[in-house]
Amino acid sequence: QQQVKQSPQSLIVQKGGISIINCAYENTAFDYFPWYQQFPGKGPALLIAIRPDVSEKKEGRFTISFNKSAKQFSLHIMDSQPGDSATYFCAATLSNTGNQFYFGTGTSLTVIP
Amino acid sequence: GAVVSQHPSRVICKSGTSVKIECRSLDFQATTMFWYRQFPKQSLMLMATSNEGSKATYEQGVEKDKFLINHASLTLSTLTVTSAHPEDSSFYICSARDGAGALNEQFFGPGTRLTVL
């Protein structure tokens, strides 16, 4: 069973637009939800993360919105830039137990000039 | 910030040989390290979880005799692909969990591209 579902699979956005990627999770015990950015041939890099005690977290142009009741969280990239073109993965985990991260299937974002 | 290195970044080997990939946490102690495999345009597939000083826990379907994992210290884990075959060609990524960090974040290495001829 896919613990974390991610959509869309790919996304094309004009420069300056807003990119939105959505994830839904199954396990209500998950308490840490990070987003990773991966460029071709590189390892994933932590972009931003949220815990379920807040509904939104913003860091620069990146915002996570979290809906605990719906078991959904999303990444918003404001003022998208061509340099943001990458693959984005959401994940979920139980942070204090050393458990594995459950990753979404990834979203390939292309920002066109 | 927390840095995880992997060596080598790329390796090409002949079928039947063994390849060792190192994963190091450079500025923190990693109580747990994870090894992933990633195929082109796909998500990360967890292969195994290793805790320092104990045997690795392998995910279902991963051959533990083929993918040997050693986590001998709090800063080093190794993955050895034994008797590699072309189907083992993939992008292997390790990650390390900072057990002392409040958030228990997971930091990824840059990956190792393995090509088996």
Side-chain angles (χ1 to χ4, degrees):
Chain A
Q1 182 185 11
Q2 185 78 27
Q3 293 279 352
V4 178
K5 295 180 181 179
Q6 184 173 345
S7 64
Q9 185 176 6
S10 62
L11 182 61
I12 300 175
V13 173
Q14 290 271 5
K15 178 182 175 181
I18 302 174
S19 304
I20 301 174
I21 305 170
N22 301 299
C23 282
Y25 61 97
E26 292 292 326
N27 190 341
T28 55
F30 288 150
D31 63 353
Y32 182 65
F33 304 88
W35 283 91
Y36 288 88
Q37 179 187 57
Q38 186 180 29
F39 293 103
K42 304 294 183 183
L46 178 65
L47 195 60
I48 186 172
I50 197 169
R51 290 194 174 275
D53 53 346
V54 296
S55 61
E56 186 176 281
K57 183 174 182 179
K58 184 176 181 179
E59 290 184 2
R61 296 185 295 110
F62 302 93
T63 300
I64 299 179
S65 295
F66 188 84
N67 186 329
K68 188 174 182 178
S69 61
K71 295 190 292 183
Q72 295 176 344
F73 59 110
S74 60
L75 175 69
H76 296 234
I77 305 175
M78 314 299 286
D79 188 25
S80 299
Q81 299 296 313
D84 296 330
S85 298
T87 299
Y88 293 82
F89 294 97
C90 62
T93 189
L94 291 161
S95 63
N96 291 326
T97 64
N99 278 359
Q100 68 181 81
F101 278 29
Y102 295 91
F103 285 91
T105 49
T107 297
S108 176
L109 171 65
T110 302
V111 181
I112 52 179
Chain B
V3 179
V4 176
S5 69
Q6 269 184 253
H7 178 79
S9 58
R10 290 176 179 270
V11 57
I12 301 173
C13 68
K14 293 182 178 180
S15 184
T17 61
S18 295
V19 175
K20 180 184 283 188
I21 302 170
E22 291 187 350
C23 176
R24 293 181 184 272
S25 57
L26 299 185
D27 50 4
F28 66 98
Q29 292 187 328
T31 52
T32 305
M33 286 185 168
F34 303 85
W35 286 95
Y36 295 85
R37 184 172 181 177
Q38 187 177 36
F39 292 104
K41 300 188 185 298
Q42 293 190 25
S43 189
L44 291 80
M45 183 188 79
L46 180 66
M47 299 175 65
T49 302
S50 73
N51 293 294
E52 184 264 339
S54 61
K55 290 184 177 180
T57 302
Y58 290 81
E59 295 300 302
Q60 190 174 7
V62 178
E63 299 176 60
K64 61 181 181 181
D65 293 331
K66 181 167 187 64
F67 299 99
L68 300 178
I69 292 172
N70 184 282
H71 192 162
S73 76
L74 285 171
T75 60
L76 173 65
S77 177
T78 60
L79 167 67
T80 301
V81 183
T82 62
S83 186
H85 290 284
E87 58 265 29
D88 299 324
S89 299
S90 190
F91 193 51
Y92 292 88
I93 309 172
C94 72
S95 70
R97 198 149 187 165
D98 182 355
L103 293 177
N104 270 358
E105 293 180 6
Q106 195 172 135
F107 302 97
F108 286 84
T112 296
R113 173 73 60 192
L114 170 63
T115 302
V116 185
L117 304 176

